Amino acid sequence: MAMLPCTAAFLLLSFLQTVKIAGKLTSPSISIDFTKRTELSSFSLLESKKGRVLLCLFKVDVLSISALNFDAFCADSQSFIGINYGQVADNLPPPSATAKLLQSTSIQKVRIYGSDPAIIKALANTGIGIVIGTANGDIPGLASDPGFAKSWISTNVLPFYPASNIILVTVGNEVLTSNDQNLKNKLLPAMQNVQKALKDASLEGKIKVSTVHAMEVLGQSEPPSSGSFDPSYGDLMKGLLEFNSANGSPFAINPYPYFAYTSDTRPETLAFCLFQPNAGRMDGNTKINYMNMFDAQVDAVYSALNSMGFKNVEIVVAETGWPYKGDDNEVGASIENAKAYNGNLIAHLRSMVGTPLMPGKSVDTYLFALYDEDLKPGPGSERSFGLFKPDLTMVYDAGLSKSNQTQPPAAAPPAPAPPAATTTTSTTASTASSSKRWSVFWWVFLELGVFRYGIFRGLFN
């Protein structure tokens, strides 16, 4: 066999060819900064006498890779990051300015709580997915009158779609946990009539219909594997899940680790909620050691769905956030904690590691919120969830600017190593075939500060 020298450049060319062969990408944009220290050595090309088998054995020592940007491959790599755009305020910037702000970020989806035409128009031709909603007060009319549902779609969807990328209509917000039994009973018929109106407009499948739930719909959430819905919702919940399953629409829920912390203010609970180093919380049933509250809450929802036979219904996090200030008696509401939660959550989502029970993918997550809503009633924290100020500057940097997409996000400090049983689970999560981000890396393993060996095989005519 003949030995041919190979340079680091050939490594990159081989990588591009590998990706091309895989059918994932034809012209990727790749930016790698090796300025601090990178060693590519012991790289050889071994060709058999038949000239058909290529074997590359190489050693990689990478102490700093500051950017891996696969723009063409991962055009939707940030599509799981959304934000809530509330309007209970008197000092918000015009929608046109907000649209430009959103385009300067990695936010790909926006949820509004109504159907403000000015906002929907402003987001036209931006490609940003838009979630619009009916008011809770509209539910009785939507349920009893299919004509009203058709009129609602004709007024709030048809004039704007598809230029404005409306992807979901939420019928009501946290209806099941309200005290209005009439609304609860009318919720499913209202969703069905809105679905029929979309079908009549030839938009079935293009725009989904769902509703949004509070975490309180769960009767049990700890440990996550024992998650179950409050039995008092009974047939109501079953009917809604059957609707979600039949129409391919998501189960939307509002998990807030912040509120979990306010009921248990121990330092270790704060670390668990902020994705910071902590001992974790063991699920005695699965032997999974959960390292953050967000994963635990989302997996509890997954378990609840699974317990009712609907594990294939997609979960969407419709709201989650952390206030950056509050009243004197509101523990945990600080700019440091808000930045830690949102920044580390975004890093967690970008890692594509998923949750222990749903590995290898990131749940669509809508951060709360784009701006403060200064007219909201209640404690000071209710008016202090905004990531941006009315003058369009950041309240704090959570890593949402587009410049952050080409650099490794500011991840949380490394957590203590979990028990062996957990290691198995996290390994499964990080190597799941559904993870697009790492599927092109099957032939090489890169890890900071260590040596790895890889073998690449290819065929040549």
Side-chain angles (χ1 to χ4, degrees), residues 237-299:
M237 181 61 75
K238 183 180 179 182
L240 293 173
L241 293 177
E242 287 174 341
F243 176 91
N244 291 141
S245 180
N247 295 287
S249 62
F251 181 84
I253 196 157
N254 299 338
Y256 277 91
Y258 166 70
F259 293 117
Y261 169 66
T262 60
S263 63
D264 177 7
T265 58
R266 293 174 297 165
E268 55 267 34
T269 301
L270 181 61
F272 186 67
C273 290
L274 297 181
F275 300 84
Q276 291 176 338
N278 66 94
R281 296 187 180 182
M282 179 67 70
D283 185 322
N285 298 325
T286 61
K287 306 306 179 186
I288 295 171
N289 194 36
Y290 281 84
M291 302 308 296
N292 66 80
M293 180 67 79
F294 180 84
D295 282 356
Q297 289 183 327
V298 172
D299 273 359

Side-chain angles (χ1 to χ4, degrees), residues 66-313:
S66 69
L68 284 172
N69 182 22
F70 300 94
D71 292 335
F73 169 58
C74 291
D76 63 344
S77 64
Q78 306 291 303
S79 64
F80 43 76
I81 299 178
I83 201 160
N84 286 273
Y85 184 173
Q87 297 173 268
V88 187
D90 59 5
N91 61 349
L92 298 181
S96 57
T98 297
K100 291 180 180 178
L101 169 65
L102 291 169
Q103 288 180 288
S104 72
T105 72
S106 55
I107 295 167
Q108 292 295 304
K109 296 175 180 176
V110 172
R111 177 189 173 210
I112 58 178
Y113 291 83
S115 53
D116 187 327
I119 294 177
I120 299 173
K121 285 180 182 178
L123 294 172
N125 303 311
T126 63
I128 294 173
I130 308 167
V131 178
I132 62 175
T134 76
N136 285 2
D138 289 334
I139 290 174
L142 292 169
S144 61
D145 183 3
F148 178 46
K150 184 175 181 179
S151 174
W152 197 95
I153 293 298
S154 296
T155 301
N156 298 297
V157 174
L158 299 186
F160 313 110
Y161 184 87
S164 296
N165 184 26
I166 300 170
I167 58 175
L168 178 67
V169 177
T170 58
V171 178
N173 185 53
E174 299 187 348
V175 173
L176 289 191
T177 49
S178 72
N179 294 320
D180 192 328
Q181 190 61 44
N182 183 52
L183 279 186
K184 297 177 187 180
N185 294 334
K186 297 286 180 68
L187 178 58
L188 179 57
M191 293 168 62
Q192 292 169 332
N193 282 341
V194 171
Q195 179 71 30
K196 186 178 185 302
L198 286 171
K199 181 179 180 179
D200 291 346
S202 300
L203 293 177
E204 185 179 35
K206 298 176 182 178
I207 300 175
K208 305 292 186 180
V209 178
S210 191
T211 189
V212 178
H213 303 282
M215 277 294 288
E216 286 73 19
V217 296
L218 267 65
Q220 182 171 340
S221 60
E222 293 186 24
S225 62
S226 297
S228 61
F229 292 111
D230 189 325
S232 67
Y233 300 124
D235 292 339
L236 286 175
M237 181 61 75
K238 183 180 179 182
L240 293 173
L241 293 177
E242 287 174 341
F243 176 91
N244 291 141
S245 180
N247 295 287
S249 62
F251 181 84
I253 196 157
N254 299 338
Y256 277 91
Y258 166 70
F259 293 117
Y261 169 66
T262 60
S263 63
D264 177 7
T265 58
R266 293 174 297 165
E268 55 267 34
T269 301
L270 181 61
F272 186 67
C273 290
L274 297 181
F275 300 84
Q276 291 176 338
N278 66 94
R281 296 187 180 182
M282 179 67 70
D283 185 322
N285 298 325
T286 61
K287 306 306 179 186
I288 295 171
N289 194 36
Y290 281 84
M291 302 308 296
N292 66 80
M293 180 67 79
F294 180 84
D295 282 356
Q297 289 183 327
V298 172
D299 273 359
V301 175
Y302 173 83
S303 295
L305 292 171
N306 188 33
S307 70
M308 294 189 67
F310 296 98
K311 69 177 182 179
N312 292 325
V313 170

Side-chain angles (χ1 to χ4, degrees), residues 32-95:
I32 304 178
D33 183 359
F34 293 113
T35 55
K36 292 185 180 179
R37 180 184 171 191
T38 302
E39 179 185 339
L40 297 173
S41 59
S42 301
F43 195 97
S44 301
L45 180 67
L46 305 178
E47 186 175 0
S48 70
K49 291 181 181 180
K50 293 184 179 180
R52 294 190 61 82
V53 179
L54 173 70
L55 175 64
C56 294
L57 179 63
F58 52 90
K59 175 175 69 179
V60 182
D61 177 17
V62 182
L63 292 185
S64 176
I65 299 179
S66 69
L68 284 172
N69 182 22
F70 300 94
D71 292 335
F73 169 58
C74 291
D76 63 344
S77 64
Q78 306 291 303
S79 64
F80 43 76
I81 299 178
I83 201 160
N84 286 273
Y85 184 173
Q87 297 173 268
V88 187
D90 59 5
N91 61 349
L92 298 181

